[in-house]
Amino acid sequence: MAGTGVSTEAPTASSLARAEHFVWLTARVLEQRRFAYHFLGGGADPVETALFAYLNDDGGYGHALEPDLRGPVSQPLHTAHALRVLDSIGRCGGLRVERMCRYLTEVSTADGALPAIHPSQRGYPHAPFLPVVDAPRSELLATGPVVGLLHRNQVWHAWLFRATDFCWAAIDALETSHPYEAEAAVAFLDSVPDRSRAEAAADRLGRLVRDRRLVALDPARTAELPLAPGYAPGEHHFPHHYAPTPGSLARRWFTDDEMAVSLDHLAGQQQADGGWPLSWREWAPGTALESRPLVTIEALRTLQAYGRPLG
């Protein structure tokens, strides 16, 4: 098993100060509150208050919480985003999550899984790489992270049983994949209760990721890697995308040297304005502006999790 690659060094104040300036300059209130919570000693209540603005009466979340989907309607991707925020502040439970599970039940497909986009998005602006169809398909990409987070927080709801079965079947059937789908599978496997089965599935998935060249191990040679359909030029996944924390099962897929190179690359992506860039296709100026603070916070959290300096 590979080591963790954890350093005892913390992010430098100068790098955090640059990121903080970027967040105050460009971010929505929610991301400002999240940054304050994770890096400035802020409380969880302001984060939850800011998130509440995106909640709809059906228990789902909308209002462009996920910036690439515009409009007020609830969507599975928005609701998954809300769950990630609540999990990150230790508030993923209670009545709010019960209401979210009822919403997830209502928008599930026949086999109990989630579509990436519900047809209610039709008529509102959305990224061209997130098509709206009248008969949405079950998606591991949408379902895996949500089910994983609910298991991680010991949330029990009837919807989880069928959704968990779907995720197991989808992961067991994977022979080819694309990076975001593999990342979603890891998010499920990292938290599902059956740990022995999860470890075995993660080992197989790791071999698939490496054999199919779904990971960039050398930042200088990404042009040699295949690009999944619909991805933007240069939209590659590095080891830190699959294993954003040392405790992830995906950390075992990579050597200490490979993880060190990946984290060095991530730290080096901080731009002159203090923020991190988007890797996916930018289709509208406003959505790109809203997305960069999200990416910046996640980059900082990953580096922080590994104890890496940002200098």
Side-chain angles (χ1 to χ4, degrees):
M1 181 186 299
T4 64
V6 175
S7 165
T8 58
E9 299 178 86
T12 64
S14 60
S15 294
L16 283 174
R18 290 165 55 209
E20 182 181 357
H21 176 80
F22 172 77
V23 167
W24 294 132
L25 180 66
T26 65
R28 304 179 297 190
V29 172
L30 175 59
E31 283 69 54
Q32 293 174 12
R33 298 298 196 185
R34 291 188 66 206
F35 185 92
Y37 174 84
H38 289 295
F39 305 108
L40 302 177
D45 286 348
V47 178
E48 195 165 1
T49 299
L51 183 63
F52 182 78
Y54 298 88
L55 178 63
N56 284 322
D57 291 341
D58 60 7
Y61 287 73
H63 306 279
L65 177 57
E66 188 69 39
D68 285 328
L69 293 176
R70 315 306 292 182
V73 294
S74 297
Q75 286 292 323
L77 290 183
H78 294 316
T79 307
H81 188 125
L83 276 171
R84 287 194 298 273
V85 172
L86 291 171
D87 174 70
S88 73
I89 62 172
R91 297 286 179 88
C92 193
L95 181 60
R96 73 178 72 79
V97 176
E98 173 70 24
R99 293 181 63 205
M100 293 168 81
C101 287
R102 288 203 297 267
Y103 163 75
L104 296 172
T105 302
E106 292 171 0
V107 298
S108 292
T109 57
D111 53 7
L114 295 173
I117 310 296
H118 188 268
S120 61
Q121 182 65 35
R122 190 176 302 282
Y124 297 103
H126 57 89
F129 48 80
L130 295 171
V132 179
V133 297
D134 292 328
R137 298 183 306 155
S138 302
E139 295 277 1
L140 178 61
L141 178 66
T143 313
V146 170
V147 175
L149 277 177
L150 293 175
H151 280 305
R152 170 182 169 139
N153 289 276
Q154 298 182 341
V155 174
W156 298 107
H157 188 275
W159 174 75
L160 265 178
F161 292 99
R162 294 187 66 206
T164 299
D165 288 343
F166 166 82
C167 290
W168 278 127
I171 291 171
D172 289 345
L174 283 178
E175 294 297 336
T176 60
S177 186
H178 60 86
Y180 288 112
E181 185 176 50
E183 185 180 335
V186 173
F188 169 79
L189 295 172
D190 275 346
S191 298
V192 71
D194 190 340
R195 301 314 300 153
S196 59
R197 184 176 179 182
E199 290 183 8
D203 287 344
R204 190 182 81 85
L205 182 62
R207 290 192 295 272
L208 184 150
V209 164
R210 295 186 72 105
D211 291 347
R212 302 291 182 182
R213 303 173 70 203
L214 302 182
V215 59
L217 299 175
D218 184 350
R221 303 180 65 179
T222 56
E224 301 174 10
L225 295 175
L227 200 63
Y231 282 36
E235 189 175 356
H236 297 288
H237 271 51
F238 292 84
H240 65 263
H241 289 116
Y242 294 108
T245 67
S248 172
L249 290 174
R251 176 62 187 90
R252 307 179 186 186
W253 302 351
F254 310 109
T255 67
D256 288 352
D257 287 344
E258 288 170 342
M259 185 57 70
V261 168
S262 180
L263 294 169
D264 286 344
H265 175 69
L266 176 62
Q269 285 188 302
Q270 188 176 22
Q271 299 188 325
D273 62 7
W276 266 256
L278 304 185
S279 60
W280 60 89
R281 194 179 306 278
E282 298 181 20
W283 62 280
T287 60
L289 186 66
E290 291 181 357
S291 295
R292 284 192 64 208
L294 277 71
V295 172
T296 297
I297 290 170
E298 293 312 314
L300 290 168
R301 292 186 67 206
T302 295
L303 292 165
Q304 185 181 65
Y306 282 93
R308 292 293 302 256
L310 298 179

